[in-house]
Every structure is written in C-alpha cells, then in structure tokens.
C-alpha cells in the first residue's frame, strides 16, 4: 500500500521481520508480537526483541538506502515493508557544534537536529513505525494522547496511511501544535485537564473502541522508532559511538529507546562494546525523574500539576520514568533539570551559535548540559551529542517576550544608520 519506492533495496538475503517476541521488561516473560502492551503477570511494559543472531546488517549494506529511519528496517518491527508509512522521518543532520561547544566548554560537541523531521519533532520517528504497524494489524482508526507534538506526527502519518485519526490533548496545548494536527485532518479533542488526565481518557477510548492508540496498544512498536536516533548518531560518527548523549525526558520512552538502540548496535556487531553515558534532561517545573535520580530512589514520585514552558515535557507521571532513572544510572550518566529562564537562554544560545531554532523541550538538553559541565559531570574532552528534539516554530510564544522586536524606520539610509546604533529595543508581545 505505502512506500513501494522505498523498498527497492530490500532484496534477497535481507533479514527483515526477525521479531522474536515481546518481552516483559521486569520478569522477562515473552509474548507473541500481537497488540498486547503490558505483562499479564507484572503489568510492566513489553519490549520488542529480535533474533539478533540472524540479523545481517552491515555498514556497507546501508550505503544507498533511503535517507530515512527505514534504512534500518532489519531492526524495525515490521514484517512486510509495503506497510511502511514513510513521510521521511529520520536521518536528520548531526552537526558538529563548534560554536556552541566553545560556549559550553566542550571540545567535541554534536547536535542531533531532530527539529527538521516531517512534522518538526522527533515524534515522527516512533509514529512512522506505529502507524505502519497499525496498517499491518489492519486497524480501522488510530489516535493518541499528546502534549502536542505527537498529535501532529500521528495526524500526518494517519493522513498518509489513509486512516481516521483522533487525538486527545490538554486544553492548554500550544495553538500551533493543534492547528498543525488539525490541518492534517485529525479530530482534535481538547480535554480540560492535565496531560495525565488526557492520557487516562485515551486509554479508555483505545480499550472501548479497539483503535490503535500509539501510546497504548501499539506502544511496544511505537517506541521502536525512537531508537533510530541512536543508530543514526553512531552511523553519522562512522560507527565510533560518542562518550555521552544528553536526551530530554517526558515519559522517558525516548531515553529508554535510545539505550535499547545502542545495545542493539552492539548485539549486531555494528559498534564495539564501549561505554556510552546517557544523561536525561527535564525542566525544573516537571522533573520527577531528576528528583528520583538525586534521591537515589527506586520510586518516581508523580507531579500533580507540572508547571513549565517546556509543555512537551509536562508529563507528571512518566510511564517510563523509573526505567529512565535505571538506564541513566546503569550507563554512568546524570539526570539534570533546568529552569524555564535557563531553557529560554538555551534556545537563544543554540539559535545564535548554531543556527538551530528549538522549542523549549529541545533546548532543555542544552541548558542541562551547561549545568553538567559547570558541575564537572561532563568533562571538556568528552565527545558529547545533544539531542534537540522539536522545532522552535511550534512554540513562538515561549520566546516572543525575550526577543527584540524589529526596529521600525522610514525607508531612508540616515534612518537605517540611526537605527543600527539603537541599543534598547522593545520586545515582542502578543
Ligand atoms: C515528547 C517529546 C519529548 C519527550 O519524549 P518522551 O518519550 O516522552 O520522554 C522530548 N522532546 C520533544 C520535542 C517531544 O515532543
Ligand atoms: Zn512481567
């Protein structure tokens, strides 16, 4: 149905469809790869595991493949490539960020620029895989609960797949994000409540209507898309992994998926068994994972009313929070929060030094990295990759009041000359 063009390279001897099972993250019980999403014994999440021994994926084999995440199809949970719904998510630029590195005190810093995905956030990655899987399961409609970016990603991929789409968002979601989802033809339901409340409603809808809700019943497949960031970072660094990656945390799924991604590259022999520290970043106004990390606790205390500019990260009760804490600890990384003013400063710094305009949830990694360097937790000679996950054009209001307004002049050279000497300018307002 979809994506025929993309799969020309899938030829004889290719090893796609090597899913072994869904495996419980707690007890290890395995299930066939169906629409099940939690362990029947311990309710823990299920992860897709593959027959890694049978997967033949080499650096050479990747040459000439599509410049999207579907280049790693052997490690994606789709049995029939014709189901792939491909809007072009993935294989985003990995920038050598020398100027930002200099500002932060890191010699070798890279920015993984996921602001340039088809709907302008990394959410296109998991969504592309989830909607493909929904087609493979033959589901009649799809949907999600969203803090905003997922709404746009699911709506766009549903449109491409020709599936009806229902998204449930908190009523205070940024206008640009709901406008975007609406344009793709989805039905948007704005719930008077928090993300966690929207999420609970979505779970009931998924159960009741039997639709594919990407963050519930197709979640094990959904999260697989996010690990492709780890694959790309390693491929773009010529299979020499970085020392340290900094990843934003909302539900914690992105961070956990990247941990899995690095491990899978080791399992199929694409990278050596070297240490890669994974650090997580949250806004101070919603940092349950950071609190649990700092308290050395095995319990992530939910935040009832998140309060932050980084709305994409305003998940008070993060589903993968505890696993994120464990992964961070296990890899020797850190969990670090940053205040809203620090996040605004980071948006500006990233834009001014590297020409990359991020939304608050993306720049939180830059703000957290600054703190990590100041605390001596990231050394200047570490090779660091900072994930920047969402586009600044999605959230102009977050930064409008912190930027100078254009200086208005009459169209004359003397007026221009007078104007460029202007020191004080009025900020934008709305
Ligand atoms: C959703 C989102 C995140 C957080 O991802 P989780 O998987 O929820 O931890 C980070 N950045 C942006 C831009 C997002 O939209
Ligand atoms: Zn279990």
């Amino acid at each position: 149905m979809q994506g025929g063009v993309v799969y020309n390279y899938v030829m004889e001897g290719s090893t796609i469809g090597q899913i072994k099972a869904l495996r419980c993250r707690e007890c290890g019980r395995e299930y066939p790869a169906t629409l099940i999403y939690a362990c029947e014994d311990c309710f823990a999440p299920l992860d897709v595991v593959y027959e890694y021994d049978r997967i033949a994926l080499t650096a050479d084999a990747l040459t000439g493949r599509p410049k999207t995440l579907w280049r790693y199809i052997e490690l994606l949970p789709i049995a029939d490539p014709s189901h792939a719904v491909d809007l072009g998510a993935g294989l985003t630029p990995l920038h050598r960020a020398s100027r930002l590195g200099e500002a932060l005190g890191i010699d070798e810093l890279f920015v993984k620029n996921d602001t340039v995905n088809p709907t302008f956030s990394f959410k296109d990655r998991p969504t592309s895989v989830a909607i493909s899987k929904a087609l493979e399961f033959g589901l009649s409609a799809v949907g999600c609960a969203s803090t905003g970016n997922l709404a746009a990603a699911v709506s766009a991929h549903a449109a491409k797949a020709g599936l009806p789409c229902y998204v449930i968002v908190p009523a205070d979601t940024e206008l640009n994000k709901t406008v975007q989802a609406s344009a793709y033809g989805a039905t948007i339901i704005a719930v008077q409540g928090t993300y966690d409340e929207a999420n609970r409603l979505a779970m009931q809808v998924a159960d009741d209507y039997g639709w594919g809700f990407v963050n519930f019943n197709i979640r094990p497949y959904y999260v697989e898309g996010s690990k492709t960031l780890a694959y790309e970072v390693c491929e773009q660094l010529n299979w020499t992994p970085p020392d340290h990656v900094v990843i934003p945390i909302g539900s914690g799924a992105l961070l956990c998926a990247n941990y899995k991604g690095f491990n899978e590259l080791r399992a199929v022999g694409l990278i050596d068994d070297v240490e890669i520290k994974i650090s997580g970043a949250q806004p101070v106004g919603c940092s349950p994972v950071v609190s649990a990390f700092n308290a050395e606790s095995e319990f992530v205390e939910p935040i009832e009313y998140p309060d932050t500019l980084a709305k994409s990260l305003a998940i008070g009760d993060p589903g993968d929070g505890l696993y994120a804490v464990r992964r961070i600890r296990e890899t020797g990384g850190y969990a670090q929060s940053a205040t809203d003013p620090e996040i605004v400063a980071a948006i500006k710094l990233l834009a001014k030094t590297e020409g990359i305009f991020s939304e608050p949830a993306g720049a939180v990694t830059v703000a957290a990295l600054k703190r990590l360097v100041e605390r001596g937790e990231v050394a200047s000679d570490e090779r660091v990759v900072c994930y920047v996950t969402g586009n600044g054009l999605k959230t102009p209001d977050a930064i409008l009041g912190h930027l100078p307004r254009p200086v208005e002049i009459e169209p004359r050279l003397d007026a221009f000359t007078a104007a460029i000497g202007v020191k004080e300018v009025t900020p934008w307002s709305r």
Side-chain angles (χ1 to χ4, degrees), residues 121-123 149 248-254 312-313 315 359 361 389-390:
S121 84
F122 93 89
K123 291 289 198 309
N149 287 330
I249 299 176
S251 73
L254 172 64
S312 299
L313 304 180
I315 300 180
E359 68 167 284
T389 47

Side-chain angles (χ1 to χ4, degrees), residues 166 168 200-211 213:
Y166 299 87
I168 304 179
R200 274 193 289 278
L201 173 61
M203 198 172 339
Q204 291 166 343
V205 175
D207 282 347
D208 238 55
Y209 286 74
W211 293 339
F213 265 58

Side-chain angles (χ1 to χ4, degrees), residues 122-271:
F122 93 89
K123 291 289 198 309
D124 286 321
R125 295 174 183 272
T127 300
S128 180
V129 174
I131 303 303
S132 305
K133 200 65 194 176
L135 280 183
E136 199 152 280
F137 281 131
L139 302 177
S140 62
V142 292
C144 65
S146 172
T147 53
N149 287 330
L150 187 58
V154 174
S155 307
H157 286 83
K160 177 81 173 158
L163 289 171
C165 179
Y166 299 87
V167 306
I168 304 179
V169 295
D172 72 347
T173 301
E174 293 103 332
L175 183 66
N176 285 21
K177 293 181 178 174
T178 44
V179 166
Q180 193 188 0
S182 214
Y184 298 125
T187 303
I188 320 287
I189 306 293
V191 171
Q192 294 155 348
T194 62
Y195 170 77
D196 294 297
E197 288 166 312
N199 209 29
R200 274 193 289 278
L201 173 61
M203 198 172 339
Q204 291 166 343
V205 175
D207 282 347
D208 238 55
Y209 286 74
W211 293 339
F213 265 58
V214 302
N215 34 2
F216 298 109
N217 45 8
I218 29 183
R219 187 172 178 84
Y221 309 98
Y222 164 82
V223 296
E224 287 292 281
S226 301
K227 71 185 183 183
T228 55
L229 270 159
Y231 297 172
E232 289 173 20
V233 163
C234 291
E235 186 181 358
Q236 289 167 319
L237 292 174
N238 253 317
W239 307 107
T240 311
D243 299 315
H244 207 140
V245 295
V246 187
I247 302 179
I249 299 176
S251 73
L254 172 64
L255 187 141
C256 292
N258 275 268
Y259 170 92
K260 182 174 190 269
F262 288 123
N263 275 344
E264 288 179 334
L265 292 183
R266 295 181 181 110
V268 299
L270 275 166
I271 61 171

Side-chain angles (χ1 to χ4, degrees), residues 21-25 45-49 220 223-224 260 327:
L22 299 182
R23 181 183 291 158
C24 173
R25 212 179 276 175
L46 304 178
D47 291 318
V48 179
V49 288
V223 296
E224 287 292 281
K260 182 174 190 269
R327 295 332 187 197

Side-chain angles (χ1 to χ4, degrees), residues 335-352:
Q336 178 63 60
S337 59
T339 64
D340 282 0
E342 285 172 330
I343 293 170
V344 168
I347 292 174
K348 290 164 75 167
L349 180 65
L350 176 63
K352 284 186 184 180

